[in-house]
Amino acid sequence: MSQFLNSKENAVTEAIDGVLVASGGALSRLDGYPHIRVVVRSDWDRSKVAIVSGGGSGHEPAHAGFVGKGMLTTAVCGDVFASPSVDAILAGILAVTGPAGCLLIVKNYTGDRLNFGLAAERARAYGLNVSMVIVDDDIALPDLPQARGVAGTLFVHKIAGALAERGADLETVTKAARRVIENTSSIGMSLDTCTVPGSPKENRIPEGHAELGLGIHGEAGVEQVEYTGAKGAVAAMVSRLAASMDDQPHVVLVNNLGGTSVLEMSVVVHELVNSAIGSRISHIVGPAPMMTSLDMQGFSISVFPANKAELELLSTPVVMPAWPGMTAIVPATVISLPDGLTPIAPLPSRHEPTRQFLTDCCTLLIGAEKDLNALDAKSGDGDTGSTLAGAARALIEALDRLPLSDHTQLFRAMGQELSQTMGGSSGVLLAIFFAAAGDGASSGLTIREALKAGLSRMQEIGGARLGDRTMVDALAPALDALDQGFIPAADAARAGANLTATLLHAKAGRAAYINAKQLDGHIDPGAEAVARLFEYLAARADAASPQADGQSAGARITG
């Protein structure tokens, strides 16, 4: 089993009990396990219109997570992706419905529609005033006679719940719910399907593709499209949403389908507000997991043209943490850097051999990105190649701004550039390395001795020594041998890098947290990068032709 569950049979009841004990007493349940799984407000007194919703489990925090003052009165929970029974729904209705009546909010799936509908009829036979609305906000399949109910249901929960809390009668609450349903549009996209408890995961979505318009039960979408990044994904969804929107300001609900990271969801919001409908979005709910599909790596977008009264209802605070609240869309504010932190740009100068030398070195690191990431995945977080490649790309872009003809200033400028563009500790360490090398060169040291001074400063501040299983194990012997030429330096770097594969205890970096078994036989990615760079320089030195001043850019380094 690849999920933190005990059994599929008990998953829903155990999850409900977990929600109850974490609610601080705000929630209770009806006695009826395992067939009747109904969560109710502990403070409910039946004096107001009751708001009842529910459906299959697996969409958490929907529906139990939205039970509380100002939203749902009760949630009726079925098995995973399966409608609750008529008896369970009727029990929920009877438990909370008083003279003011009850509104059932039902998503447009056959099982939910039939079971909630029959339960409503039986409740009416008891003399209760019960109204029902069907949410059908999914626009993925425009020709479908019965569109699915998806995350736009949350707009209905919030507006109907806020009205009921204020004491509105059943007719008013029902009318408001129907207006929300008529004007809400939603669409989803995913890179992967979900894992249903007790069933093997079968991903029907090919690598490099995304599925557009899939439902919250993992059912197939309208089409599979080539995935080119967040911008393209949002654009494909927006193109369909735009057709259902007028020029009024809209509230957008950005829903995490369960397996998408917070980082990704924030990028989605960035693309959404800069999309073709961005100017029509005035407020946002989320991004947050509100109506999920277990662990599906996807998201959905719902839009609703709320009027002034509806905006007030949507913005009314509730205590349930599952509801993220609504905020106005405000352009990002950019504040100037404090005095002294704005970098002083070096005076650029041209020197074609140096430019080509740096370009070739950077190109090598870019080409090694995947290999170095794979190595780092064995002993770190799998991003060494991406970090170095990102810095290399930034350095290539900065070449026109660098003092290429003055190596003393060039080292310092490279250090400054890396400190701004290269993330993590490696960026800081290399920035220190090149800044110290520049200081050494300005004091009259040869380039080789200046680089060794840079290494010494980097070790002093970073704390890494030979044998600690870092890039130092390749860089230090390479610089020691550099006075003999690039070939001996490359041999020394390779020997040092290979040695790291035999070092079973790292004393610096993320590898220090990895056990010996995981480290055994795997070269440190930083050391591998250094070895590859020197091997490239050795091969290049053999083929280098003399420059106008009698030396190549690479040859001057050994001086």
Side-chain angles (χ1 to χ4, degrees), residues 33 109 182-183 186 231 301 306 333 339 401 529 540:
Y33 277 177
Y109 294 94
E182 290 169 2
N183 291 279
S186 301
K231 181 185 291 292
I301 301 171
T333 301
D339 291 342
R401 304 191 301 271
R540 187 180 186 279

Side-chain angles (χ1 to χ4, degrees), residues 371-372 375-376 378-380 384 388 468-475 493-494 496-503 506-512 519 521-532:
D371 289 348
L372 296 178
L375 268 181
D376 193 31
K378 305 292 186 182
S379 58
T384 293
L388 291 172
D468 285 356
R469 209 179 192 282
T470 68
M471 69 169 70
V472 171
D473 291 309
L475 185 56
R494 174 48 63 193
N498 290 345
L499 179 64
T500 64
T502 69
L503 301 175
K507 299 178 182 178
R510 287 189 174 90
L519 295 177
H522 301 300
I523 296 174
D524 175 77
E528 176 66 20
V530 171
R532 291 193 183 194

Side-chain angles (χ1 to χ4, degrees), residues 365-366 369 384-396 418 421-422:
L365 292 175
I366 293 170
E369 180 175 1
T384 293
S386 296
T387 300
L388 291 172
R393 293 185 184 99
L395 201 57
I396 289 175
L418 292 175
T421 60
M422 191 175 179

Side-chain angles (χ1 to χ4, degrees), residues 200-274:
K201 185 169 185 174
E202 297 180 5
N203 185 16
R204 62 176 176 271
I205 305 173
E207 184 72 25
H209 287 73
E211 195 157 79
L212 178 65
L214 73 175
I216 57 173
H217 302 109
E219 60 267 45
V222 61
E223 64 177 315
Q224 292 181 351
V225 298
E226 184 179 357
Y227 178 71
T228 58
K231 181 185 291 292
V234 171
M237 299 167 76
V238 161
S239 67
R240 287 161 173 78
L241 288 170
S244 68
M245 300 170 64
D246 55 26
D247 291 332
Q248 297 181 67
H250 285 65
V251 180
V252 64
L253 185 146
V254 185
N255 173 56
N256 186 338
L257 283 168
T260 311
S261 69
V262 175
L263 177 69
E264 292 169 278
M265 293 303 297
S266 297
V267 173
V268 166
V269 171
H270 165 75
E271 293 300 338
L272 183 59
V273 298
N274 288 286

Side-chain angles (χ1 to χ4, degrees), residues 77 79 102 111 114 125 128 142 151 160 164 190 209-210 238 243 256 290 296 342 355 373 394 414 431 487 494 537:
C77 307
D79 288 326
C102 167
L114 293 176
L128 299 179
S190 182
H209 287 73
V238 161
N256 186 338
M290 290 173 272
M296 184 180 289
T342 303
R355 180 189 186 92
N373 279 345
M414 289 173 62
I487 293 177
R494 174 48 63 193
L537 295 177

Side-chain angles (χ1 to χ4, degrees), residues 236-523:
M237 299 167 76
V238 161
S239 67
R240 287 161 173 78
L241 288 170
S244 68
M245 300 170 64
D246 55 26
D247 291 332
Q248 297 181 67
H250 285 65
V251 180
V252 64
L253 185 146
V254 185
N255 173 56
N256 186 338
L257 283 168
T260 311
S261 69
V262 175
L263 177 69
E264 292 169 278
M265 293 303 297
S266 297
V267 173
V268 166
V269 171
H270 165 75
E271 293 300 338
L272 183 59
V273 298
N274 288 286
S275 71
I277 64 170
S279 61
R280 285 178 271 177
I281 298 174
S282 62
H283 294 76
I284 185 169
V285 178
M290 290 173 272
M291 187 167 288
T292 64
S293 183
L294 294 170
D295 59 347
M296 184 180 289
Q297 189 183 356
F299 64 96
S300 65
I301 301 171
S302 304
V303 291
F304 170 59
N307 59 33
K308 183 177 180 180
E310 289 160 338
L311 285 175
E312 184 184 357
L313 294 168
L314 286 170
S315 63
T316 302
V318 295
V319 298
M320 294 77 75
W323 177 253
M326 182 185 72
T327 56
I329 294 291
V330 178
T333 301
V334 180
I335 301 173
S336 299
L337 287 172
D339 291 342
L341 288 183
T342 303
I344 300 174
L347 186 65
S349 58
R350 297 183 61 82
H351 189 263
E352 193 55 37
T354 299
R355 180 189 186 92
Q356 190 60 51
F357 177 81
L358 291 176
T359 300
D360 292 346
C361 292
C362 289
T363 301
L364 174 83
L365 292 175
I366 293 170
E369 180 175 1
K370 289 185 178 180
D371 289 348
L372 296 178
N373 279 345
L375 268 181
D376 193 31
K378 305 292 186 182
S379 58
D381 52 4
D383 68 349
T384 293
S386 296
T387 300
L388 291 172
R393 293 185 184 99
L395 201 57
I396 289 175
E397 292 178 2
L399 286 175
D400 289 338
R401 304 191 301 271
L402 298 181
L404 299 178
S405 64
D406 183 343
H407 285 180
T408 297
Q409 295 303 317
L410 176 59
F411 284 144
R412 290 171 171 165
M414 289 173 62
Q416 178 176 291
E417 185 70 28
L418 292 175
S419 71
Q420 296 171 17
T421 60
M422 191 175 179
S425 57
S426 54
V428 177
L429 291 172
L430 288 177
I432 293 169
F433 172 77
F434 282 110
D439 292 343
S442 67
S443 67
L445 296 179
T446 65
I447 297 299
R448 183 177 73 89
E449 292 300 324
L451 291 173
K452 292 186 69 173
L455 174 61
S456 178
R457 182 69 57 82
M458 183 177 76
Q459 290 182 266
E460 177 185 342
I461 296 175
R465 298 289 182 269
L466 279 172
D468 285 356
R469 209 179 192 282
T470 68
M471 69 169 70
V472 171
D473 291 309
L475 185 56
L479 292 181
D480 286 340
L482 191 56
D483 59 345
Q484 303 170 44
F486 276 122
I487 293 177
D491 291 340
R494 174 48 63 193
N498 290 345
L499 179 64
T500 64
T502 69
L503 301 175
L504 304 185
H505 299 285
K507 299 178 182 178
R510 287 189 174 90
Y513 305 101
I514 305 299
N515 63 49
K517 184 177 180 180
Q518 289 175 275
L519 295 177
D520 189 17
H522 301 300
I523 296 174

Side-chain angles (χ1 to χ4, degrees), residues 8-57:
K8 66 177 182 179
E9 293 80 12
N10 298 327
V12 174
T13 55
E14 290 174 353
I16 290 173
D17 283 344
V19 170
L20 295 178
V21 299
S23 73
L27 303 179
S28 303
R29 70 169 175 88
L30 299 185
D31 184 8
Y33 277 177
H35 304 297
I36 294 176
R37 292 165 290 200
V38 177
V39 177
V40 299
R41 283 175 57 174
S42 298
D43 63 346
W44 188 244
D45 62 6
R46 302 195 190 194
S47 63
K48 300 173 183 177
V49 172
I51 307 296
V52 177
S53 190
S57 297

